Amino acid sequence: MADIKVIQDKIIKYIEEHKKEYENISKAIWEKPEVSNYEFFACKVLGDKLREEGFKIEDNAAGHRTGFAAVKKSGKPGPVIAFLAEYDALEGLGHACGHNIIGATSTFAGVALSKVIDEIGGEVRVYGTPGEEGGEEGSAKESFVREGYFKDVDAALIAHPGTLNLLTGTSLANDPIDIEFFGKPAHAAAIPEQGINALDAVIQVYNGINALRQHLPSDVRIHGIITNGGSAPNIVPDYAKARFYLRSASRNTLNDVFAKVERIVEGAGLLTGAKGKVIRYQNKVDNLVPTPAFDEVYKKHLEYFGETLDHKESGIGSTDVGNVSQVVPTIHPTLRVTEVKCGGHTVEFREECIKPKALESCTLGAKILSLTALDLILDSELLKSIKEQHKTLISQI
């Protein structure tokens, strides 16, 4: 049995000796923000670093041109641990969610753990998963799940930057959908009777969804915009489009909501004569299922490095980490990277994510995540109990 203290010290020593490299990686990604499916720079920087450290890299992983799967095997039996790297920015806002930190931290943790993997056994993976914020080819973790990248993974880890120290919380399942209607153009004054108004159909859907809200569970959220309403007032719109997010605390409830929205679209088509369709324009996002026993291991190491947990504030969003948590035990804690109280997806938080404390958090995050993973590899009973708890929680959904 490996001496856990000796192994821990090796990991910490490696992280301390290489922290500037990963701070620079985080800074470089922040300075060159890229949205979903266009994270070419970030993907290359992280992938090249992992290659340099002896990982075998699969490019274009899970069908995503800016995704990768990095693997380092020990040659000895043992658990497979996956660190999840995110590195996409927000459209028009840059790294206002701190994914520059996530990409560097997850890579750093994976590399640090890999330095002892030959000694302890098992396998380390770092999955580069594009588009957590959505967008073109967004929510790539669902693709990784669907294509089997987690079928032999024992546990997955990621830490999200924020203004508080929090354990893994719940999240909302999310179906990002486009609703399109196709009508028939006509001169709106001279021959309106010959037109079929696609915009009218979209407006009927918008109003229908507003009416639906009073008959939905309290955890459901629906919000949307009209993205195309026609080209000119004197032309009956032959094409119109709206974009909605459908969200719920559970995938099963959300599937029911999706079916109801489909019926609203069908009804609007019957009312107006326009032909409508509903499409998911990116991967579905599932709700996050926390595994408390896994979070307890993370908490132990968080506190070892002098950090304390905060109380969770209100507010809940969606993340494709939820898709991973549906199939393997997963942690998605929040790590405080600034003392400034500001919300994510804001200019203020973006600016905090390039400051020294935020960049230095890559070191702290890498230590906590790698040591958490180490415990799972060295303590088979601990890992077994976490997997059993996860299985029970999934069966109760």
Side-chain angles (χ1 to χ4, degrees), residues 66-102:
T66 52
F68 63 81
V71 177
K72 194 167 186 181
K73 299 181 180 181
S74 67
K76 299 178 182 178
V80 177
I81 304 296
F83 296 93
L84 309 178
E86 297 172 0
Y87 36 84
D88 63 314
L90 289 154
E91 182 79 42
L93 199 53
H95 280 290
C97 203
H99 291 189
N100 60 304
I101 298 169
I102 296 177

Side-chain angles (χ1 to χ4, degrees), residues 72-185:
K72 194 167 186 181
K73 299 181 180 181
S74 67
K76 299 178 182 178
V80 177
I81 304 296
F83 296 93
L84 309 178
E86 297 172 0
Y87 36 84
D88 63 314
L90 289 154
E91 182 79 42
L93 199 53
H95 280 290
C97 203
H99 291 189
N100 60 304
I101 298 169
I102 296 177
T105 300
S106 292
T107 300
F108 201 2
V111 170
L113 185 61
S114 78
K115 298 304 176 182
V116 299
I117 199 70
D118 288 338
E119 186 175 350
I120 63 177
E123 182 176 330
V124 183
R125 299 180 187 174
V126 179
Y127 287 157
T129 56
E132 189 277 335
E133 300 292 354
E136 184 179 305
E137 299 293 319
S139 304
K141 293 183 192 67
E142 166 61 13
S143 300
F144 277 71
V145 170
R146 185 179 61 245
E147 298 302 321
Y149 285 78
F150 290 94
K151 64 183 179 182
D152 58 347
V153 169
D154 291 281
L157 303 89
I158 183 174
H160 200 290
T163 61
L164 299 171
N165 284 325
L166 304 171
L167 297 180
T168 306
T170 56
S171 69
L172 299 177
N174 182 13
D175 280 338
I177 63 170
D178 280 336
I179 298 172
E180 294 181 301
F181 278 95
F182 303 86
K184 180 182 176 183

Side-chain angles (χ1 to χ4, degrees), residues 28 65 72 90 92 129 191 196 239 244 274-275 278 358 376 391:
R65 67 185 187 184
K72 194 167 186 181
L90 289 154
T129 56
I191 48 172
I196 297 176
Y239 175 77
F244 284 87
K275 294 181 179 179
V278 183
L376 271 57
K391 184 178 180 180

Side-chain angles (χ1 to χ4, degrees), residues 22 49 61 104 119 162 181 183 194 199 219 265 281 314-315 360 384:
Y22 290 88
K49 186 60 182 173
E119 186 175 350
F181 278 95
Q194 294 185 23
L199 177 58
D219 63 280
V265 172
Y281 63 86
S314 61
E360 291 165 6
K384 181 181 177 182

